Amino acid sequence: MKPISALTGRLSAVPTAVRRRSQDVASRAKILADARAIVPDIPRDADPGHLIRAARRLVRRAAQDEFAREGITRVRLPEEIDRAELRRADVPGDASFHAVVEDVVSALDIAPSTLERDDAIDLRRAPSSSDRYGLSPEVAADLASYLLQRAVDLDGEVEDVEAFFTTQATRIREDVRAALVRQVKVPLELRVALERHERIENGDASPDGPGAPFVEDFASPTGAPGDEDATEEERRSFSQRARAAYDFAQSEAGRTAFSVLRSGAEKAYEMYGKGEGRTPGPGPSPKQPKR
């Protein structure tokens, strides 16, 4: 048998281990909530890879938006937008296209981020951060840096943060170049960009249409009191709605309304049970009363 002192030591260590795991879970939940405030599509059980990919997608989309915003007017495009014509035109090899790509890439400053959650949300929502096309490349780079910083915090094992950001910046710039090359090589993608530009410049773009910037709810999707990502405002709103519903149920009008609903449901149930609610089948028509 193990000495009592050894068992006592093990038992005393249990609360410490539980508390440490609880702190780790809470810290992980907070990091993911910070990231989901910028990109709500990030899963609640995400790993660092999810955050890295979300950062890359954010910048890639901003680059495509920038091409639709300004690149369309700067690049020499063939009159016919079909695969054969685009292949002959070789738009990716044109100097004007190279200038557009380098302008977008030069706007991408990917570096360790000092943004706090509230600052990142304000930046994402600011009117100066986006227009009807979408986010500007500069803002997308700042938000991507914020997401990458959260990925570092979530991983907890990144020893060289500078090297991590250098690697990710290189990958993001490669993503952007590849996305823009596809934009002028794939007929459907180029046609979408042309149509977006024409529609938005003509003022025909609906705020909810494809040309609109992302409009996301930065609070949690559910907002219930037990939701770890719910904001204080959401919790207060839920509590107020619950209290109002309770007060109504206790009022004379509420009791009357529930009584009417209950009696109506009982009658419907009785009709169904007797077959009165069913669709009558074919059969002899009832006799008409004599006049």
Side-chain angles (χ1 to χ4, degrees):
M1 291 182 62
K2 293 186 182 232
I4 295 294
S5 59
L7 293 175
T8 303
R10 286 174 128 191
L11 291 174
S12 63
V14 169
T16 302
V18 171
R19 186 164 55 251
R20 187 180 302 113
R21 284 197 297 272
S22 177
Q23 291 172 347
D24 291 343
V25 170
S27 175
R28 177 184 177 83
K30 182 183 182 304
I31 292 171
L32 290 176
D34 290 348
R36 294 181 71 249
I38 303 303
V39 182
D41 290 341
I42 293 175
R44 294 178 183 275
D45 58 347
D47 57 32
H50 285 93
L51 274 60
I52 293 171
R53 290 189 293 274
R56 293 170 66 177
R57 285 195 304 271
L58 191 69
V59 177
R60 189 164 58 244
R61 173 59 189 264
Q64 293 169 327
D65 292 338
E66 179 69 7
F67 182 80
R69 181 188 292 115
E70 295 185 2
I72 288 293
T73 59
R74 295 172 55 189
V75 175
R76 288 195 291 269
L77 297 172
E79 293 183 3
E80 296 296 328
I81 307 299
D82 57 50
R83 199 174 304 278
E85 192 65 30
L86 286 177
R87 190 182 301 113
R88 283 192 291 270
D90 187 25
V91 179
D94 191 86
S96 63
F97 177 76
H98 280 285
V100 169
V101 173
E102 292 311 312
D103 281 350
V104 174
V105 170
S106 65
L108 305 178
D109 184 15
I110 307 296
S113 177
T114 58
L115 283 176
E116 297 293 337
R117 174 189 169 114
D118 292 344
D119 297 331
I121 291 175
D122 288 344
L123 178 63
R124 182 65 180 83
R125 287 176 165 174
S128 59
S129 296
S130 63
D131 57 11
R132 287 178 296 172
Y133 287 95
L135 285 173
S136 71
E138 292 84 356
V139 171
D142 289 342
L143 295 177
S145 297
Y146 175 80
L147 291 173
L148 292 173
Q149 188 67 56
R150 299 284 80 77
V152 170
D153 297 339
L154 188 63
D155 190 316
E157 297 182 0
V158 177
E159 296 181 358
D160 192 337
V161 176
E162 292 288 344
F164 170 82
F165 271 88
T166 299
T167 300
Q168 295 305 323
T170 300
R171 290 178 179 174
I172 286 174
R173 292 187 179 104
E174 290 173 353
D175 280 354
V176 165
R177 288 191 174 95
L180 293 180
V181 167
R182 277 181 57 87
Q183 193 86 65
V184 296
K185 288 182 67 176
V186 180
L188 290 178
E189 294 187 18
L190 180 56
R191 190 170 292 114
V192 167
L194 287 166
E195 290 174 355
R196 283 186 65 197
H197 180 82
E198 183 178 359
R199 186 174 62 250
I200 292 174
E201 292 303 313
N202 291 337
D204 297 334
S206 167
D208 298 325
F214 296 132
V215 180
E216 295 151 346
D217 182 9
F218 293 98
S220 63
T222 56
D227 186 352
E228 63 187 13
D229 297 332
T231 64
E232 290 301 322
E233 181 179 354
E234 287 176 322
R235 291 191 176 95
R236 285 195 300 270
S237 176
F238 185 90
S239 176
Q240 291 167 357
R241 293 196 303 269
R243 182 64 189 177
Y246 176 80
D247 291 343
F248 176 75
Q250 297 301 312
S251 67
E252 185 66 28
R255 287 195 294 270
T256 301
F258 286 124
S259 175
V260 171
L261 288 173
R262 184 169 58 250
S263 62
E266 290 172 353
K267 289 179 181 179
Y269 179 77
E270 289 174 2
M271 292 176 64
Y272 179 81
K274 293 178 181 178
E276 297 178 11
R278 300 172 186 170
T279 302
S285 58
K287 294 182 179 179
Q288 297 296 326
K290 293 182 179 180
R291 294 183 183 273

